Amino acid sequence: MIPNPLRDPRDRRLPRVPEPCALVVFGITGDLSRKKLLPAVYDLANRGLLPTNFALLGLARRDWGNEDFAELARSAARKAARTPWREEVWERLAGSVRFVQGSFDDDNAFDELAATLAELEGSHGIGGNAAFYLSIPPAMFPVVLKQVQRTGMAESTPDRWRRVVVEKPFGTDLASSRALNELVDSVFSADDVFRIDHYLGKETVQNLMALRFANTLFEPIWNVHHVDSVQITMAEDVGIGGRAQFYEETGAARDVLQNHLLQLLALTAMEEPVEFSAEEIRTEKLKVLRAISLPEDLATSAVRGQYEQGWLAGQRATGYREEDGVDPHSTTETYAAVRLGVETRRWAGVPFYLRAGKRLPRRVTEIALVFKRAPHLPFADTDTEELGNNQLVVRVQPDEGVTLKFGSKVPGSVMEVRDVSMDFLYGEQFTEASPEAYERLLLDVLLGDATLFPRNAEVEASWAVIDPLEEFWAGTRPQPYRAGEWGPRAADEMLAAEGRRWRRP
Ligand code: BG6
C-alpha cells in the first residue's frame, strides 16, 4: 500500500480493520466462548470490522464436524449478539469456520490444526496470521502451549504474526502467576501475549482516561489536597451461577479484586502518560500498582463476607453454602473489602476503599472520588445539615456515565443547602451504543494493539497486593451477610471507624 503522507498514523478516528487472519479458540464449547467470544466475533463482522479473509477455528473433544461447530457458533452468536441479526453476515462467516476434533494432549489433533491453518492460508488468504485464545482453566495452559509450540504455530515471523490471548485468573497467587507468565513467555514473545481483563474493554473505563486527561476541570483537584477518599465498588446481584467449583477455589478477592478493581484503581490514580500508547499507559499503571500499600492492621482494614439466604428483588435467594456444588462448610468469600493506600506524592494519605461482592442489592460498578469538606462554611450549622461531601462518580455500569454531586440552595425564603446531582449519561449524549468489552478487546488483539491489556508486571504487582490479604484470611471464616444486603456489617464498621460511609449507589 502507498502511504498517504497527509494521514497522520496517530489519527485513530477511522475504523481500523485487522489484516487477514484466523482466530483459534481453545475451550470453544465453554461458557465464556458461547456467551462472549462468539457473539463478539459476529458483532465485529456485522460492523464490518473483521477482514474479508478471516477464519474461525475451534479444537475440542466433541465428535463434531465443521457444520456442527458452525451451528453451535451460530446459535451462541444469535442468542447473545449485541447488534441486529443479519443472516447474510453469518453465512459469510460460516464458510470459514473449521473444527478440529481431539483432546489437548492429542498430538494428531494439533498436527491437524496446524495443517488446517496452513490450508486456510491458501484457500482463504488468511496470510498466516493467527491469534490463539486460551479460554480454558490455567491448569491446561501448559499442555496446550506446548502443543502450539511443538507444531510451530507460535512463531511470529516478519511475514506473519502469531498471538496468544490469556484469560484471567492469571494464577492464584504471585508465585503461580510468575510461573504462568514464564510459561507463556517461553512460547510466545512478550509483545504477542494479550492478557484479558475485560473491565479495560468497557467504554466507561476508557472514559476515565478521557475525563482526566482531556479536560482541565478535574485534574487540579485530583489529589490528596482535595480528595478525602476514593471508593471503588463492584457490586453484583447475581450469585455464582454454575461456577461453584471455580468459585470455591477462587473467592471474591482473587476473582475480581486482584484484577478488575486494581486495574480501576490504577487508572484512577495514575499520572498522565507521555502519550496514549500501550507502552506508556501500562508504564503509568504499573507505577501505581507498585505504590499500593496495605494497612498495617488488616483485622480492622479488610473484611471478607459470605452471603446467606435472603431476598433479592422480591425473590428468595439461596445462601452460598446451599448453592449446588458448594461445600456446606465453605469458607470462601463472596464479598471482599479493603482499604489500600497509594504511596505517591499525589495520593499519600488518601484511603482507597475497594469492595466487591455477589448477591448485593443491585448490579453496579462505580468509582467515586469523595472530596474534602469545605474548610469553612459561612452558614448556620442547621442550614447545611443535609450537605454531604462533594463527589465525582464515574458510573462504569449500568447507567454508564458520570455524576457530580454538590451542594445547592433549596428554593425558598430560608438558606438551606442540600446535595444535588449533575448527570452525564452515555445513553442521552450519544446515539451510538457502546461496543461490548469483548468486542473491543478481540478487535484489539487482531489489530495488535495492547493498550487495554495488562502487562505481566502489572499482574504480578497486583498479586503482591492480594497475597498478604489471602494469607491473613487463611483459616478464618468470612462474615455472614444476607443476600440482598450491602455486605457484612463489619464492612460498614470499617469505614465508620474512620468517620466515613460507603456510598449506597
Ligand atoms: C468476571 C468474574 O471476571 O467478571 C465474574 O469472574 C463476574 O465472577 C464478572 O461475575 C462480572 O463481569 P461484568 O462484565 O458482568 O461486570
Side-chain angles (χ1 to χ4, degrees):
M1 206 195 294
I2 303 167
N4 178 351
L6 298 177
R7 171 121 196 263
D8 179 347
R10 291 173 15 131
D11 183 346
R12 312 217 299 183
R13 284 170 303 176
L14 289 178
R16 297 169 296 160
V17 177
E19 296 169 280
C21 61
L23 174 68
V24 184
V25 183
F26 299 106
I28 195 87
T29 52
D31 228 35
L32 179 80
S33 157
R34 279 180 293 118
K35 290 191 182 144
K36 300 288 181 187
L37 300 182
L38 294 168
V41 168
Y42 167 80
D43 285 325
L44 288 174
N46 201 12
R47 292 166 63 206
L49 295 177
L50 285 184
T52 319
N53 301 340
F54 173 80
L56 173 68
L57 290 86
L59 183 147
R61 254 195 311 239
R62 305 215 179 161
D63 190 13
W64 275 353
N66 291 337
E67 293 73 28
D68 304 299
F69 173 45
E71 190 40 44
L72 164 108
R74 181 182 182 280
S75 69
R78 176 131 210 203
K79 207 162 164 192
R82 179 183 65 85
T83 57
W85 187 257
R86 290 196 293 153
E87 199 60 40
E88 66 275 20
V89 170
W90 180 257
E91 286 302 317
R92 228 174 299 133
L93 264 178
S96 51
V97 167
R98 297 286 182 279
F99 183 75
V100 176
Q101 199 252 330
S103 58
F104 295 154
D105 54 6
D106 177 355
D107 285 0
N108 290 338
F110 279 79
D111 291 341
E112 193 188 327
L113 183 66
T116 310
L117 264 182
E119 187 191 304
L120 284 164
E121 257 181 73
S123 62
H124 285 65
I126 57 165
N129 304 316
F132 299 91
Y133 201 118
L134 306 193
S135 179
I136 50 177
M140 293 178 181
F141 284 10
V143 55
V144 171
L145 287 169
K146 290 290 171 230
Q147 291 281 21
V148 173
Q149 187 176 41
R150 181 186 64 77
T151 45
M153 289 191 285
E155 264 163 68
S156 286
T157 66
D159 306 322
R160 71 168 207 204
W161 53 257
R162 292 289 162 105
R163 299 179 186 137
V164 69
V165 188
V166 192
E167 264 292 335
K168 66 168 263 287
F170 316 111
T172 51
D173 56 16
L174 178 56
S176 60
S177 98
R178 273 201 184 128
L180 203 62
N181 279 331
E182 269 168 30
L183 173 75
V184 178
D185 288 349
S186 71
V187 177
F188 285 88
S189 70
D191 288 346
D192 295 331
V193 181
F194 291 72
R195 292 172 188 78
I196 290 229
D197 182 317
H198 79 280
Y199 267 58
L200 295 180
K202 293 186 190 266
E203 202 72 29
T204 30
V205 173
Q206 295 162 53
N207 186 40
L208 198 53
M209 287 188 274
L211 187 79
R212 292 192 54 198
F213 305 128
N215 297 302
T216 51
L217 216 53
F218 308 113
E219 208 49 23
I221 53 171
W222 208 271
N223 55 47
V224 57
H225 305 298
H226 299 273
V227 175
D228 166 79
S229 55
V230 178
Q231 292 190 15
I232 304 182
T233 299
M234 177 185 171
E236 293 182 276
D237 51 0
V238 293
I240 51 162
R243 299 195 308 158
Q245 195 195 343
F246 162 78
Y247 207 83
E248 272 286 86
E249 293 163 6
T250 310
R254 289 193 176 102
D255 185 29
V256 297
L257 209 66
Q258 184 270 340
N259 37 77
H260 306 329
L261 271 80
L262 287 183
Q263 283 291 324
L264 294 183
L265 182 153
L267 288 170
T268 307
M270 75 182 199
E271 296 302 318
E272 182 180 292
V274 173
E275 61 174 9
F276 200 81
S277 69
E279 183 60 22
E280 301 300 343
I281 292 174
R282 290 154 130 196
T283 299
E284 295 306 333
K285 280 195 296 165
L286 179 60
K287 282 200 237 165
V288 174
L289 293 167
R290 288 208 173 127
I292 290 179
S293 65
L294 276 161
E296 270 168 27
D297 184 9
L298 285 175
T300 54
S301 311
V303 172
R304 66 200 291 255
Q306 189 185 65
Y307 63 82
E308 294 185 328
Q309 74 169 38
W311 291 86
L312 247 164
Q315 302 250 338
R316 223 179 117 99
T318 340
Y320 178 68
R321 291 180 181 186
E322 286 87 59
E323 302 269 17
D324 278 349
V326 170
D327 175 358
H329 304 289
S330 170
T331 56
T332 300
E333 83 278 358
T334 59
Y335 175 99
V338 62
R339 170 161 64 77
L340 300 174
V342 177
E343 306 308 321
T344 61
R345 175 171 285 231
R346 187 192 282 267
W347 295 114
V350 178
F352 282 72
Y353 299 107
L354 272 52
R355 63 175 163 167
K358 299 238 183 234
R359 287 275 188 241
L360 300 184
R362 53 181 295 234
R363 173 175 184 252
V364 56
T365 299
E366 61 163 46
I367 302 158
L369 269 73
V370 179
F371 292 93
K372 295 189 169 166
R373 305 280 295 198
H376 172 251
L377 293 169
F379 309 100
D381 287 352
T382 45
D383 298 347
T384 53
E385 257 173 6
E386 293 191 46
L387 176 68
N389 292 44
N390 294 167
Q391 297 183 5
L392 178 76
V393 185
V394 176
R395 293 193 311 276
V396 173
Q397 65 187 22
D399 308 330
E400 290 84 354
V402 179
T403 297
L404 197 57
K405 209 176 122 199
F406 53 92
S408 186
K409 182 183 175 306
V410 178
S413 57
V414 294
M415 179 49 93
E416 188 189 345
V417 185
R418 192 190 290 167
D419 286 334
V420 294
S421 293
M422 209 156 82
D423 270 335
F424 148 59
L425 265 162
Y426 264 81
E428 277 178 6
Q429 297 275 331
F430 300 107
T431 45
E432 204 177 321
S434 302
E436 272 282 325
Y438 275 96
E439 225 174 304
R440 168 67 198 252
L441 295 175
L442 204 52
L443 179 63
D444 283 359
V445 169
L446 303 181
L447 288 165
D449 182 346
T451 310
L452 301 176
F453 298 81
R455 226 193 246 161
N456 63 9
E458 289 173 64
V459 174
E460 291 177 12
S462 304
W463 279 118
V465 175
I466 300 298
D467 275 7
L469 258 185
E470 292 288 354
E471 266 165 44
F472 177 76
W473 281 335
T476 66
R477 290 165 71 89
Q479 312 266 347
Y481 63 98
R482 218 171 285 152
E485 288 180 354
W486 280 104
R489 203 172 320 129
D492 292 334
E493 289 164 4
M494 171 174 128
L495 261 70
E498 300 179 354
R500 300 188 177 94
R501 264 197 316 207
W502 288 110
R503 281 175 39 80
R504 289 282 180 261

